[in-house]
Amino acid sequence: MMTRRSAFSFLAGSAVALTARADALKPLSGTVIYRERMALPVGAVLVVRLEDVSLADAPAKILAESTQSIQGAPPLSYILHVPVLESSRQYNLHAEIRVGEQLFFTTEDAHSPSEPDIVVTRVAAPAHDLPYGSWTVQSLNGEALPDTVRAPTLTLARDGHVFGSGGCNRLMGQAVLAGNRLKFQPFAMTRMACIGSEMKTENAFVKALDAVRFWSLDQKGSLIFQSENMKPLIVLHSENILEKQK
């Protein structure tokens, strides 16, 4: 039977063991960068792991891991709490950027703990992860379109031609697309008189298009046009997706 004294000794010993284990963890901080000038989709997360890769014929053992939502542009700071590392073993820092299940960036080169600043490389995007096609505006400048107005539409062709509707007038023009950078040239538009709040919506749409500098896709497949400082300006849904939802 465990006496009160032995129970106290057991608890004290456990506390000492836990404290020693916690004291053995040391902070390891660094940064992650990618060289592409692009806006990440909403919901992007940074994952950094320290792995023990000493055994060539066995899976890497994860010693520490950090997962965080990405806010702002790189460099992206991270911190890991790692155990005491042995000089006789090999370690590697692995970083990746994900949106849901999709991998956007990952490390290609080995990084030892003494090299905590990591460069990640863009993973080739699937063919459907492109802004080409026909889209319908769902929100402007962070506000959903009211049901009382006709939603603007936009079609981006692979040759750079753009056409659509501001909700009242038709528009056509050109887009310059390079990776995730996007800029619209001035549009030619018809000049019909719009009824009610449609003119206000159309003017806001055209003004927002002029400020677009980046594009991205979110986890739901919505196309997001963003400003130079990555502020979301326009959210659009694929007309194919909207047709399936009817």
Side-chain angles (χ1 to χ4, degrees):
M1 179 180 296
M2 183 179 289
T3 64
R4 182 178 300 178
R5 177 177 297 178
S6 60
F8 176 79
S9 299
F10 173 78
L11 292 174
S14 299
V16 170
L18 290 173
T19 302
R21 202 173 303 155
D23 290 342
L25 297 178
K26 302 295 182 183
L28 172 64
S29 59
T31 60
V32 174
I33 66 169
Y34 52 86
R35 304 195 186 283
E36 292 84 350
R37 287 207 62 188
M38 61 173 286
L40 292 173
V42 176
V45 298
L46 171 66
V47 180
V48 182
R49 292 191 291 265
L50 176 65
E51 303 169 333
D52 185 334
V53 293
S54 302
L55 300 178
D57 57 348
K61 181 181 179 181
I62 298 175
L63 302 179
E65 184 174 70
S66 169
T67 301
Q68 62 192 62
S69 298
I70 295 176
Q71 305 292 336
L76 309 172
S77 299
Y78 71 89
I79 184 168
L80 295 172
H81 295 280
V82 305
V84 175
L85 304 182
E86 302 175 22
S87 59
S88 60
R89 304 191 69 81
Q90 292 184 336
Y91 304 97
N92 178 59
L93 285 166
H94 173 83
E96 56 189 43
I97 295 174
R98 290 182 170 273
V99 179
E101 297 299 318
Q102 184 178 345
L103 180 64
F104 271 68
F105 290 87
T106 188
T107 45
E108 289 188 342
D109 301 321
H111 290 267
S112 70
S114 62
E115 302 170 314
D117 297 326
I118 305 170
V119 178
V120 290
T121 304
R122 178 73 193 271
V123 176
H128 66 272
D129 282 356
L130 295 171
Y132 305 121
S134 297
W135 304 85
T136 299
V137 173
Q138 299 298 299
S139 67
L140 280 172
N141 300 313
E143 296 184 3
L145 292 184
D147 295 334
T148 55
V149 301
R150 185 180 304 170
T153 61
L154 203 67
T155 296
L156 286 82
R158 291 182 179 273
D159 62 1
H161 281 88
V162 181
F163 57 91
S165 168
C168 178
N169 287 286
R170 289 180 288 112
L171 57 85
M172 60 200 74
Q174 288 281 135
V176 179
L177 180 66
N180 277 72
R181 289 199 69 92
L182 173 65
K183 181 176 174 58
F184 294 102
Q185 304 295 342
F187 288 99
M189 299 183 65
T190 58
R191 296 297 178 186
M192 295 188 297
C194 304
I195 301 174
S197 58
E198 289 186 351
M199 178 60 77
K200 180 180 178 181
T201 299
E202 182 169 276
N203 288 341
F205 176 55
V206 174
K207 183 178 180 180
L209 287 174
D210 186 57
V212 170
R213 295 296 180 271
F214 294 97
W215 69 271
S216 64
L217 293 173
D218 67 12
Q219 293 170 265
K220 298 179 181 179
S222 298
L223 176 62
I224 303 174
F225 289 156
Q226 295 159 303
S227 66
E228 186 66 49
N229 63 0
M230 299 186 181
K231 177 184 177 182
L233 298 173
I234 309 173
V235 178
L236 309 94
H237 286 187
S238 169
E239 292 190 355
N240 292 334
I241 294 176
L242 293 175
E243 195 66 33
K244 290 179 181 178
Q245 293 175 343
K246 293 181 180 178

